[in-house]
Structures are given as structure tokens and as C-alpha cells.
Amino acid sequence: MTDPKNDVRLIWSRYYSAFVPAPAGPGFLDRLKAASGAIGGIAVTGLLCGLMLGNGIAHPLLVAPMGASAVLLFAVPASPLAQPWPVLGGNIISALVGVMVVRLIPDPAIAAALAVGCAIGAMSLLRCLHPPGGAVALSAVLGATHGAPSYMFAIVPVGVNTALLVTVAILFHRLAGHSYPHVAAKAATTHGTSDPPPILRTPSEQDVEEALNAYGDRLDVNAADLQAVLHDAEMRAAERTHGRLACGEIMSRDVVTVRAGQPVAAARQLLHDRRLLSLPVLDDAGRVQGVVGPLDLAREGGRVQDIASEPYIVHADTPVAALLRPLTSGVRREAIVVDDDRRLCGLVTQTDLLTAVAFRA
């Protein structure tokens, strides 16, 4: 028999999560920045419009939907609905639709409904869907109490308001260190090819696109951004799973090394004869000074210390999870394990990491 109290809690949690979703994304400081950006954006837009059109500072010329546009521009600048073309195109096109509808339909109630619906259709077709556009179209209808508005309504004040607001948003996000207009970051490749690093190949962007299409409801997120979030979540899950395993447990201890003062030919011979991809470079006291791989051999220099690369240094108690990102990025092939005096303890290669992840999950 079920506990009525548990049933009540379950129902309450479902309704609460549906109507009061948990805030995701930026912390309090970013929200404070968004609020300050919106204050500045609306203030500058209103004042400049007032000055440009001769109303003066005391009479800013603003349309109400700019407040809704400001929410998107400053609070969620990565949203596809907040990019410059959706904001500018969506507002202007919706204004034109609203004016056209109110000129054709004399009944205000019918005109209002058609203006909003047609604005959504036009924005969708022109790939500039912007929620405040519906309010712009409605404003054109509701403002027609003293006769049909002119098509200039789409330019002044709507177009001018929107252009100024977008300009302020671009400047604000540049100063705040945000990416706007937002472009999803592409994973850097180390071999000059179009393939992303191995860790970023699943799920692919096409997989994410198909999943979004199959979801049924439109989500306000770019597929490339969602893919990046999924990859990061997977990496964090892997790091948590292998967080207890330390480098000292999987490292190779009998490591082939080369002295910093030896000639480059000695390193080349060792790499070839032992079929190695890397050699830790040690000084006379056994401290790690660098690492040499096949690509380093192409550098100019007579001694190993002249061509050695900067090593990726870890300690025996470093969690294996900390190696997942650097050793799967295509930049590093190995992590060199040292003690507190930087003396060599062992080596963790990509093969060691793969084995640990595959068999110790």
C-alpha cells in the first residue's frame, strides 16, 4: 500500500518542476550583468532615438516590444532567437505584417489575431523567428485607433529602435567577454583536417539534429551548442567514473629515456629501434626537462635539449580522469609522472589510458 504523503510529494514535485523550472546556465554575476546590460541598452536606445528624431532627451521614442527583445539580447545572447538577423528582421517584418493586416481588416479583434499569426508565419519562412515580433505586429494593430498606421512604422520607430538595441548589445557583450553574435565554437583539429578530435565524433552534429527533429517540440538551442554541451557532460561523467584511479596505478615504470645533452641522432635511433612515440628527456640528476617525439626530430638543433618539447607533467596521485581531456585532444600523446623533485617515476601513454578506461570502468 502506497504512502499518501509520498504520493502528494511526487505530484507536487512534478507540478513544481513543470511550472518553476530550475535556472540553468550562468550564475548570479552573469544575471546581474544581463540586467545592467538591459538597463543600458534600453536607456541608450530611447535617448538616441529621442535625439535623432527631435523629441529630445526628455521624450525617448520607444516601442514596448523592445523590452522583450532586450531580455533575449542581454539574458540569453546564445539563443538562436536572439541573434542579429532574427531580432532585426523579426521585428521589422512583423511590423510590416501588422500594418498590412490592419489596413486590410477593419475588425480590431480579427486583425490582431491575424497579425500575430501571419507575423509568426513570415518570420519562420524568412528564418528570423523572434518572439517579440508577435508583440510588434500586435502593437501595429492596437495603435491604429486614430486610423491605419503608415508602413514607415516598420522603420521608425521599430527599425531604428531595434538597430540601436542590437548595436548596444554587440558592444556590451564584447566588453563583457561574451560571444555575440553567437557562433558555436568548432573543435580545433591538430592535423589540419576537417575531422574533429576523436572524443568529439560521437554524437555527431547530424545525430543531434536528428534527435532534435525527433523530439517533437522545438527547443531554443542551436544544434552545435547542444552537441558541445553533450560532449562536455559525457567527459564529466567519465572523469567522475574514473576519479578514484590514480596515474601511479596505470603508469609504465620501466621507461626508455634520453639525456638532454645527447646528440639528436641518439634520440632518433632510440625512437626507431624501440618503436616509440615519445622519449622523456632527463638532465644529469634524472629530472625531467622535456619530451621528444618523431615530430620534434624535424627541428633544428644538435642536442636533444635543443629540440625537446614542453612535457605534460603529472604526479603518481593525479587522478586518471585528469588525463582524459589532454590525451584525447590530439595535442598530447603522453603524461610524464614525476615526484616532488621532478624526477621521473613513470609514463602514462594514450594506450595506458585507453586500457584503464576500457577495463576499469
Side-chain angles (χ1 to χ4, degrees), residues 258-260 279-283 287-292 304-305 308:
V258 64
R259 294 290 176 176
L279 281 171
V281 179
L282 309 183
D283 63 12
R287 290 185 292 266
V288 176
Q289 299 298 306
V291 63
V292 169
V304 172
Q305 61 191 13

Side-chain angles (χ1 to χ4, degrees), residues 52 100 108 196 255 279 285 302:
M52 289 168 59
M100 181 181 67
V255 181
L279 281 171

